[in-house]
């Protein structure tokens, strides 16, 4: 799309040296081998032993980097739960909760929902995961959120174990976004050139119509990308200095490139995580944290309860 490629050039040119540096940074340059930072010796976590290590992972990356797509793939294959900040907000918005009413305009215009709302909404859901393996997608997005999350988890002696940074070039992302369609009730993501629905315009599982996200247009997307560089990318430097958390950067343009690296990281560091007997299918945005390994409801929760 012409407007999107213009946008890509504009973003490259207009970003400040500090904010554009991520694509050329030490983090991006050291994408392989996977480990940029190892937990320091003597870190006092309760799960240092490989047999009972718990995955508490952030899926980190620019808007459209593939956080949702790759998290779903992990959750479908492995005994891992996931929580997406964006999906949760869209659920609040759809259900017209107080949080949803406060977030609606901010999300539609590509801004960031205030930190205090986000930390409350996320930790109330996260606490229900207890000692399960989990992935958090889209939170934290500011240093304040990152520090509050660390404090919250360390108070429970359950610090983050891993941050996976999906390092995808702006141009690649911009072309993907114009092709993205979603099934709003479940959060399932499709892409007209990469991951097409079986029937054009309809969800594979329910047959319901697919929609465009209101924030997936060039103008708003440009704001989301700028917001990432200004507020979210500093978290990479923060995590590179963390005592407990391993920061891993994965580069690639296609899932064929990124997926095997991601899977190798998880399997190598968490050999105790089991594969599911059969692939999971999401039916609602909160499914990922409502079902146990066999798909039985495990935790009852609705957006409004957070
Ligand atoms: P959120 O929904 O989290 O949006 P985002 O971070 O901007 O990320 P996206 O969901 O757009 O992208 P993604 O990385 O999940 O990529 P996807 O897998 O879909 O947040 C939305 C808004 O909520 C924010 O703007 C903000 O307002 C608010 N918000 C959320 N969290 C907040 C927080 N913590 N604090 C404050 N406000 C917050 O993939 C993208 C496309 O690429 C798809 O079409 C997909 O099919 C395709 N694709 C994926 N992988 C590949 C591949 N390997 N090859 C080819 N195509 C691929
Ligand atoms: Mg997403």
């Amino acid at each position: 799309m012409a407007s999107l490629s213009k946008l890509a050039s504009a973003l490259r040119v207009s970003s400040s040296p500090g904010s554009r540096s991520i694509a050329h940074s030490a983090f991006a340059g050291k994408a392989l081998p996977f480990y940029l930072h190892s937990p320091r010796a003597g870190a006092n976590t309760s799960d240092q032993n490989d047999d009972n290590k718990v995955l508490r992972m952030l899926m980190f990356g620019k808007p459209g980097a593939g956080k949702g797509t790759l998290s779903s793939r992990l959750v479908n294959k492995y005994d891992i739960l996931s929580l997406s900040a964006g999906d949760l907000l869209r659920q609040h918005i759809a259900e017209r909760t107080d949080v949803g009413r406060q977030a609606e305009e901010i999300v539609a215009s590509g801004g960031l929902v205030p930190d205090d709302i986000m930390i409350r909404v996320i930790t109330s859901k996260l606490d229900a995961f207890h000692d399960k393996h989990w992935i958090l997608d889209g939170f934290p997005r500011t240093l304040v959120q990152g520090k509050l999350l660390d404090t919250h988890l360390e108070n429970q002696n359950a610090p983050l174990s891993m941050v996976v940074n999906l390092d995808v070039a702006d141009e690649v992302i911009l072309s993907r976004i114009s092709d993205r369609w979603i099934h709003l009730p479940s959060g399932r993501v499709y892409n007209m050139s990469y991951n097409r629905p079986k029937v054009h315009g309809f969800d594979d599982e329910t047959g319901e119509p697919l929609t465009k996200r209101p924030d997936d247009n060039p103008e708003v997307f440009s704001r989301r990308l700028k917001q990432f560089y200004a507020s979210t990318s500093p978290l990479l430097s923060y995590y590179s200095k963390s005592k407990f958390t391993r920061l891993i950067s994965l580069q690639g343009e296609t899932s064929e490139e990124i997926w095997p690296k991601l899977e190798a990281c998880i399997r190598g560091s968490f050999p105790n995580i089991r594969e599911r007997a059969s692939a999971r299918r999401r039916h609602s945005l909160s499914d990922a944290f409502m079902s146990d390994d066999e798909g039985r409801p495990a935790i009852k929760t609705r957006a409004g309860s957070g």
Side-chain angles (χ1 to χ4, degrees):
M1 230 169 132
S3 50
L4 286 174
S5 43
K6 269 192 218 146
L7 177 57
S9 325
L11 281 166
R12 275 200 311 282
V13 172
S14 66
S15 304
S16 69
S19 64
R20 68 182 285 209
S21 62
I22 182 172
H24 310 286
S25 68
F27 302 113
K30 288 190 200 164
L32 287 173
F34 300 135
Y35 303 112
L36 299 184
H37 176 75
S38 299
R40 282 176 201 146
N44 181 25
T45 63
S46 56
D47 53 21
Q48 292 295 297
N49 183 334
D50 270 5
D51 294 337
N52 54 17
K53 257 169 81 172
V54 179
L55 177 74
R56 291 181 286 264
M57 173 181 141
L58 300 188
M59 190 67 90
F60 190 91
K62 295 170 198 165
K67 302 182 293 291
T69 302
L70 287 163
S71 298
S72 300
R73 212 159 159 176
L74 281 173
V75 167
N76 285 341
K77 182 161 180 188
Y78 294 100
D79 178 22
I80 299 174
L81 303 175
S82 77
L83 179 59
S84 154
D87 283 355
L88 196 52
L89 287 174
R90 282 183 283 278
Q91 188 179 12
H92 273 283
I93 292 167
E95 293 183 3
R96 309 294 307 154
T97 65
D98 284 349
V99 168
R101 280 194 292 271
Q102 292 175 72
E104 187 164 15
E105 266 197 47
I106 301 173
V107 171
S109 63
L112 289 182
V113 175
D115 292 334
D116 59 324
I117 298 181
M118 288 311 299
I119 189 84
R120 187 161 39 86
V121 166
I122 294 289
T123 53
S124 64
K125 298 295 177 201
L126 209 52
D127 289 349
F129 287 1
H130 301 297
D131 52 357
K132 306 257 189 227
H133 302 288
W134 54 252
I135 302 171
L136 195 47
D137 154 1
F139 185 91
R141 253 179 234 247
T142 63
L143 270 177
V144 172
Q145 291 179 11
K147 288 176 184 172
L148 287 170
L149 178 67
D150 274 354
T151 305
H152 184 81
L153 294 175
E154 283 165 22
N155 284 342
Q156 300 171 355
N157 199 24
L160 279 177
S161 34
M162 189 183 270
V163 175
V164 172
N165 171 36
L166 302 177
D167 185 10
V168 183
D170 293 2
E171 297 84 342
V172 174
I173 287 175
L174 289 165
S175 66
R176 282 179 188 177
I177 286 303
S178 54
D179 282 347
R180 173 164 67 181
W181 288 78
I182 62 158
H183 177 239
L184 183 61
S186 69
R188 257 186 296 281
V189 175
Y190 296 89
N191 187 289
M192 291 311 151
S193 47
Y194 153 76
N195 171 31
R196 301 174 75 87
K198 288 176 193 147
V199 179
H200 184 77
F202 296 93
D203 178 47
D204 288 353
E205 299 297 321
T206 63
E208 290 165 354
L210 302 178
T211 52
K212 289 294 278 179
R213 272 173 44 174
D215 55 349
D216 271 356
N217 61 68
E219 191 196 331
V220 175
F221 196 79
S222 138
R223 233 172 281 143
R224 288 161 59 201
L225 208 44
K226 283 183 182 150
Q227 192 72 257
F228 172 85
Y229 283 118
S231 308
T232 309
S233 63
L235 281 162
L236 286 175
S237 161
Y238 172 71
Y239 286 119
S240 73
K241 296 174 197 137
S242 163
K243 266 198 288 189
F244 305 117
T245 309
R246 183 177 288 169
L247 172 62
I248 296 165
S249 208
L250 301 179
Q251 269 178 322
E253 291 192 9
T254 66
S255 58
E256 285 65 37
E257 286 176 70
I258 291 189
W259 169 249
K261 296 176 195 171
L262 176 62
E263 204 177 12
C265 283
I266 304 287
R267 295 190 79 120
S269 303
F270 299 88
N272 57 325
I273 297 182
R274 285 175 298 144
E275 281 193 39
R276 294 184 187 281
S278 57
R280 285 195 70 250
R281 287 281 170 258
R282 269 180 121 193
H283 298 290
S284 80
L285 288 172
S286 43
D287 251 11
F289 47 95
M290 286 179 72
S291 302
D292 66 11
D293 193 20
E294 277 74 48
R296 292 181 300 249
I299 302 159
K300 277 207 169 19
T301 176
R302 284 166 56 80
S305 66

